[in-house]
Amino acid sequence: MEELIFDLLEHRGISGDEGGIARYCENRLKIFSDNVKINFNNNVVAVLGNENADYTFLLDAHIDRIGFIVTEIDDSGFIKVDKVGGVDLRTILDAPVTVHAKEDLNGIVCCMPPHLSDGNEDKAVSIDNVWIDVGLPAEKVKGAVSLGDSVTIFSKPKELINNRISSAGLDNMAGVCSLLKVAEKLSRKKINSRVIILLSCQEETFATGAKTVPFSYKIDECICVDVSFASQPDINDQYSRIKLGEGPILCVSPNLNKDIFNKLKTTADKLNQDCQFEICNGRTGTNADHIVVNKSGIKTAVISIPEKNMHTQAEIIDMNDIDKTAELISEYILCGGVK
Amino acid sequence: MNNLDLLKKLCTANGISGDEDSVREIIINEIRDYVNEYKIDNLGNIIAFKKGRNKAVKRLMVSAHMDEVGFIVTDITSDGLIKFDTVGGIDRRVILGRSVLIGGKINGVAGVKPTHLCDADEGSKIPEINSMYIDIGADTKEDAEKFVSLGDSITFEAMYEDNGYSIKSKAIDDRAGCFMLIQMIKSELEYDAYFTFVVQEEVGLHGAKVASYSVDPDFSIVLESTTAADIPEVSDSKQVCNVENGAVIGYIDKRTLYDKGMINRAVSLAEKNNIKLQFKRSVAGGNDAGVIHESREGVRTIAISLPCRYLHSQLSLIYKSDLDETYNLACMLASDVAGGKL
């Protein structure tokens, strides 16, 4: 399996601590563009195509992931945390974590062994009771860890069968990976438009990147790339028809632009490529919710990569879907979008 | 303690109860040149004998179990998901989202319905085991059956880290005990002793039951990892024992009233040799001593344990200092017992 997605997953940045992943992406993008910048919030912006063109595409994917933030260190060196983004507390007890302190410290989320069960096995832990043990003397912990340090939940990125991979943080390294592939594809072509790739910060909290970066540019249309739900047990709504490996999910929503949606669909047909559909009744839960209302309004679409077990260490995606997403977006841009 | 690479090798090996083969193989390779004889019995226990400088006055059996908790494949669904049951006691709160290895080779993860699609009640509820499943990336039963069979063993994905002070790993219970036993076997013994590496502790103490019958010892020392709940929001009396406070012994647990003579001897040895020793502060857990002390006409038995946090989950934690204290006390007590000083 190709290394890019595994390299991306190595750099774990929760919302507000995207420096490492942003610098990695900056270096990747520099292979394909001479105009790459990181701003003070660790938003990465790369400009491709014809910089002086009068038509501009914005392609957005968020680079942050969910995690924890340190709120307290007790006398014994245990570290108390709160959530950053929608961490699923059903998966947290005994989870391997990394405290990104002066140096990275690996730890475990404290839990009771079954021998001493409190009888609350049916119930997920409350965030008020989440503590981390890094297995070091208290003075070492206090010397290394500061309040506000970020904590990521660790699961070793791994291959499953059928070209699938599982890891924490595939939301949204799957999207970022697609856009890096788009950059590579477009860099080999002559494009008449300007293409801005935005790898945006803080989507999992307040969408700060999506709200602020587009303000600096005159943008004609935008595609946001994120992950969305694929079928798994106990899902009985529309997502029960979304399958891994059956192509990107195009979103239909009153807030989104129908011309881009239709053109994406036609482009997929032209590529003889499968795609799937999700229907939202307004907000999409992605950066698009903020980009559509930027300045005087931006025509926006959302393309999602099907994912299982979202917001857990066990997120699963199919690499084929990343490739198909990249192919669809590249072809769409080469066809001129909805200019 | 030296040779912690061996501890890592033992802890990262996969061996749930009833499937201890790969652990047994590592152990046999380590001990075969240091014992006078060893055999593998009908259940898969290793029973080893090593001569000391002197003939033993009392027959001693030192024991540790090779198995770890995990899961077993019970069904494969039409959409290619793996259903499982637990092997040994595992709290349902440490399963969802975990990475596992099926049959020692196939990666899988325990699936979770995304919280975004759950109602408030569902989003904070831990499902029953029979509603949980492991995803290996298959879409159909036929697809999954190429890689997984009913009855396959499932282990938590191995992880191991030594940060200089503590060790975080899978299966410290009871590979740390196996590790100490191997170190004892590799050391020069004052008196002859039997060493048993037993199977199936986590599912009814079966290995220890038959091993103690075969060895027919006068005394037994069980080397275990015991639950240390010295973590935030647990009252002192419920913490059982503490890491960094040395070897753990108890007067009683859920299976055994321990031999007072052996306890007293352990206490005096610890005092005399400046070994850190702590007593269990509540009646919790049980181990192979439960069947060993009832073997034949009865066996005088003690468990010397290593305080271990987060037992029976993917990652447990021990302090290296405790490993030294526990090992040193076990060696001294073994020598006294086999030498007939009790």
Side-chain angles (χ1 to χ4, degrees):
Chain A
M1 191 161 300
E2 62 185 293
E3 283 166 20
L4 174 59
I5 187 76
F6 288 96
D7 286 349
L8 285 167
L9 290 165
E10 284 285 304
H11 299 82
R12 298 180 260 157
I14 68 162
S15 314
D17 193 18
E18 299 94 340
I21 181 66
R23 280 189 297 278
Y24 174 80
C25 292
E26 177 192 27
N27 287 330
R28 287 298 298 209
L29 284 164
K30 277 182 174 164
I31 305 170
F32 313 117
S33 164
D34 298 329
N35 184 352
V36 186
K37 286 183 209 137
I38 297 189
N39 84 351
F40 67 99
N41 267 335
N42 290 314
N43 292 292
V44 186
V45 178
V47 183
L48 289 90
N50 175 4
E51 291 215 24
N52 303 314
D54 60 359
Y55 196 82
T56 300
F57 290 91
L58 175 67
L59 304 177
D60 165 82
H62 71 87
I63 49 168
D64 57 318
R65 63 164 74 185
I66 56 172
F68 292 118
I69 187 163
V70 174
T71 56
E72 185 184 334
I73 302 166
D74 83 359
D75 293 339
S76 309
F78 288 101
I79 298 165
K80 189 146 190 350
V81 295
D82 208 337
K83 292 205 275 189
V84 174
V87 175
D88 188 336
L89 294 172
R90 293 170 299 173
T91 68
I92 282 308
L93 291 183
D94 195 57
V97 294
T98 304
V99 181
H100 302 284
K102 281 187 185 140
E103 54 182 309
D104 283 358
L105 301 176
N106 292 325
I108 304 172
V109 176
C110 295
C111 65
M112 288 294 269
H115 319 68
L116 303 172
S117 180
D118 56 3
N120 282 328
E121 222 184 320
D122 289 335
K123 241 183 121 27
V125 65
S126 144
I127 188 61
D128 303 329
N129 303 108
V130 177
W131 290 85
I132 289 168
D133 181 358
V134 291
L136 288 172
E139 68 276 10
K140 292 267 171 200
V141 177
K142 288 182 175 167
V145 182
S146 306
L147 301 188
D149 280 352
S150 75
V151 177
T152 53
I153 300 148
F154 176 73
S155 66
K156 195 173 100 200
K158 58 183 59 68
E159 287 185 43
L160 304 179
I161 65 170
N162 291 334
N163 210 25
R164 286 167 191 178
I165 61 171
S166 178
S167 174
L170 282 168
D171 174 6
N172 185 30
M173 285 309 118
V176 171
C177 187
S178 303
L179 288 191
L180 291 175
K181 283 166 179 268
V182 169
E184 183 178 4
K185 285 176 196 292
L186 294 183
S187 69
R188 294 200 216 102
K189 308 273 181 181
K190 184 162 163 35
I191 313 161
N192 297 323
S193 325
R194 180 170 70 150
V195 179
I196 296 172
I197 291 181
L198 164 61
L199 304 180
S200 49
C201 73
Q202 302 179 26
E203 189 266 355
E204 300 290 359
T205 49
F206 310 113
T208 313
K211 284 173 182 166
T212 57
V213 176
F215 189 84
S216 310
Y217 300 92
K218 183 191 158 293
I219 293 156
D220 296 286
E221 60 172 301
C222 170
I223 298 173
C224 291
V225 187
D226 208 325
V227 293
S228 190
F229 311 104
S231 171
Q232 58 184 103
D234 303 322
I235 293 182
N236 304 312
D237 60 12
Q238 60 167 325
Y239 295 105
S240 64
R241 70 165 183 264
I242 306 284
K243 307 281 187 226
L244 292 190
E246 297 193 359
I249 307 165
L250 306 185
C251 183
V252 180
S253 158
N255 291 352
L256 298 177
N257 183 276
K258 299 205 170 37
D259 295 333
I260 309 181
F261 170 83
N262 287 326
K263 179 97 185 252
L264 282 167
K265 220 168 102 183
T266 336
T267 309
D269 286 343
K270 205 178 89 187
L271 289 168
N272 205 12
Q273 190 191 87
D274 291 329
C275 55
Q276 314 185 67
F277 305 99
E278 70 176 322
I279 319 301
C280 296
N281 62 358
R283 292 174 65 84
T284 63
T286 69
N287 273 340
D289 296 342
H290 310 283
I291 292 172
V292 283
V293 291
N294 197 271
K295 292 206 276 194
S296 56
I298 297 173
K299 295 173 183 170
T300 301
V302 174
I303 301 182
S304 299
I305 293 154
E307 187 187 68
K308 287 181 175 179
N309 308 324
M310 194 185 292
H311 282 197
T312 74
Q313 310 86 316
E315 290 179 345
I316 301 174
I317 56 99
D318 189 315
M319 282 307 293
N320 295 324
D321 292 325
I322 291 184
D323 291 337
K324 286 177 188 167
T325 302
E327 217 172 304
L328 176 61
I329 294 171
S330 306
E331 184 62 24
Y332 173 83
I333 286 173
L334 291 170
C335 293
V338 291
K339 187 176 178 179
Chain B
M1 266 177 102
N2 298 323
N3 197 14
L4 287 172
D5 285 348
L6 174 60
L7 179 63
K8 179 178 180 178
K9 197 169 166 191
L10 288 163
C11 287
T12 53
N14 296 311
I16 66 160
S17 312
D19 192 8
E20 299 91 347
D21 298 23
S22 52
V23 182
R24 184 166 48 237
E25 196 176 317
I26 294 169
I27 293 170
I28 287 172
N29 282 331
E30 289 293 327
I31 66 169
R32 63 156 46 102
D33 296 336
Y34 297 90
V35 295
N36 295 89
E37 55 185 277
Y38 75 89
K39 68 168 185 179
I40 297 163
D41 74 8
N42 290 333
L43 295 198
N45 297 311
I46 305 172
I47 299 177
F49 174 72
K50 176 168 167 126
K51 283 202 165 112
R53 281 193 293 270
N54 305 295
K55 197 170 176 333
V57 179
K58 294 289 180 186
R59 183 176 291 192
L60 170 68
M61 168 174 140
V62 192
S63 193
H65 70 88
M66 295 187 283
D67 57 318
E68 68 185 288
V69 298
F71 312 91
I72 188 164
V73 176
T74 56
D75 198 11
I76 301 173
T77 68
S78 57
D79 42 5
L81 300 169
I82 313 299
K83 303 293 281 186
F84 61 88
D85 207 343
T86 51
V87 173
I90 300 177
D91 191 293
R92 301 204 314 273
R93 286 169 287 192
V94 303
I95 300 174
L96 295 180
R98 281 311 164 276
S99 295
V100 298
L101 204 59
I102 305 180
K105 55 184 191 297
I106 301 299
N107 286 324
V109 290
V112 198
K113 180 177 175 180
T115 166
H116 320 62
L117 304 179
C118 294
D119 59 36
D121 185 44
E122 203 180 11
S124 62
K125 198 170 172 298
I126 307 292
E128 298 294 330
I129 293 289
N130 63 18
S131 300
M132 294 185 184
Y133 57 91
I134 291 165
D135 197 323
I136 61 165
D139 290 322
T140 64
K141 186 171 187 156
E142 294 67 36
D143 205 7
E145 280 174 341
K146 286 180 221 151
F147 302 93
V148 174
S149 303
L150 300 187
D152 277 359
S153 299
I154 307 170
T155 47
F156 286 113
E157 180 180 75
M159 298 179 80
Y160 183 100
E161 187 192 64
D162 176 347
N163 68 14
Y165 293 86
S166 64
I167 292 167
K168 296 181 278 291
S169 178
K170 172 179 87 71
I172 288 172
D173 174 14
D174 186 27
R175 305 291 159 68
C178 295
F179 172 70
M180 289 188 278
L181 225 61
I182 294 169
Q183 300 299 91
M184 282 175 88
I185 289 172
K186 288 181 174 176
S187 71
E188 201 172 322
L189 300 179
E190 191 70 27
Y191 296 97
D192 309 340
Y194 286 86
F195 297 89
T196 55
F197 299 86
V198 300
V199 298
Q200 299 177 33
E201 193 264 0
E202 304 291 359
V203 292
L205 321 182
H206 281 199
K209 184 163 172 55
V210 303
S212 51
Y213 175 87
S214 302
V215 174
D216 190 14
D218 301 307
F219 288 86
S220 180
I221 298 173
V222 174
L223 294 183
E224 253 290 9
S225 313
T226 198
T227 180
D230 53 337
I231 57 174
E233 296 174 25
V234 177
S235 67
D236 188 61
S237 64
K238 292 205 174 106
Q239 295 187 350
V240 187
C241 62
N242 297 61
V243 299
E244 291 189 282
N245 281 2
V248 187
I249 55 179
Y251 290 104
I252 182 174
D253 61 24
K254 295 262 171 74
R255 301 292 297 248
T256 312
L257 267 161
Y258 290 94
D259 184 84
K260 294 228 173 40
M262 294 179 87
I263 293 173
N264 292 338
R265 175 62 67 160
V267 170
S268 63
L269 280 171
E271 275 172 7
K272 209 166 77 193
N273 296 286
N274 223 0
I275 293 173
K276 273 193 189 172
L277 176 66
Q278 56 183 322
F279 277 89
K280 272 192 171 185
R281 300 200 297 278
S282 65
V283 181
N287 58 59
D288 282 330
V291 292
I292 296 172
H293 85 286
E294 295 173 343
S295 183
R296 296 191 183 231
E297 294 91 0
V299 176
R300 296 180 66 180
T301 303
I302 191 173
I304 302 181
S305 301
L306 181 65
C308 179
R309 289 179 182 155
Y310 325 120
L311 279 176
H312 288 206
S313 53
Q314 181 176 21
L315 276 181
S316 308
L317 184 150
I318 53 170
Y319 271 74
K320 292 163 78 172
S321 58
D322 293 326
L323 197 56
D324 290 328
E325 308 281 359
T326 306
Y327 176 70
N328 291 336
L329 183 61
C331 290
M332 286 177 196
L333 186 64
S335 183
D336 274 15
V337 167
K341 291 191 183 149
L342 262 73

